Amino acid sequence: MLQKTLLSIILVFFLFNLSTVNAQDNKSIEIMDIVKNEIIKTTPTDSSIQLETEKIIKEIDGVVKAFKPIPDKGYMIKIPLEPSYQLENKWINALIDEVIIIIPETEKPFLFTFDDENNSYFFTFQIKIDKLLKTLESPI
């Protein structure tokens, strides 16, 4: 009985520790080079980046209709949202906790996110992302 209790305590401690580490990892913004398939910059998130990202989300005006939406060349910026953002439009109604802005080499950027059930969505928007890239001090 004592062994089961001790094992349970250790298991709970281990799981709690993993969730804490995982939550800390999700707080950084990552910029990935698609060709190299590697993260080229990591930076902590802040309120100005959150604000710029929310502006982009509010400007969603359509869905990406490409058969293969992830381009062969370009960049992807993963931005965690803290607090999570309630995205409501005619395509999705979900609480999202991160978005990925995909910047193809020869096309306009678009937004990629998941809903509560891990369904993926690719959205177009018209707002320019120059201010976001400047705030991120992006190498793009």
Side-chain angles (χ1 to χ4, degrees), residues 35-127:
V35 172
K36 294 178 183 176
N37 196 23
E38 67 182 37
I39 296 170
I40 58 172
K41 182 173 183 180
T42 302
T43 186
T45 188
D46 65 27
S47 59
S48 62
I49 295 169
Q50 174 95 9
L51 182 64
E52 286 302 313
T53 305
E54 288 178 7
K55 286 180 186 177
I56 292 170
I57 293 169
K58 289 176 185 174
E59 293 295 320
I60 289 173
D61 62 354
V63 293
V64 175
K65 297 176 181 159
F67 178 69
K68 181 183 168 199
I70 306 295
D72 294 328
K73 294 181 180 179
Y75 298 91
M76 295 170 56
I77 305 172
K78 183 182 84 168
I79 304 171
L81 300 173
E82 185 66 39
S84 297
Y85 186 85
Q86 181 65 40
L87 176 55
E88 294 181 39
N89 59 33
K90 60 184 172 182
W91 302 283
I92 185 175
N93 182 1
L95 191 64
I96 56 173
D97 56 3
E98 82 175 17
V99 297
I100 300 171
I101 298 175
I102 300 174
I103 307 168
E105 192 172 78
T106 58
E107 300 170 32
K108 289 184 175 183
F110 54 93
L111 187 133
F112 171 47
T113 194
F114 295 94
D115 66 9
D116 303 331
E117 298 172 2
N118 282 331
N119 296 315
S120 58
Y121 294 87
F122 294 86
F123 295 112
T124 59
F125 56 86
Q126 294 301 317
I127 192 170

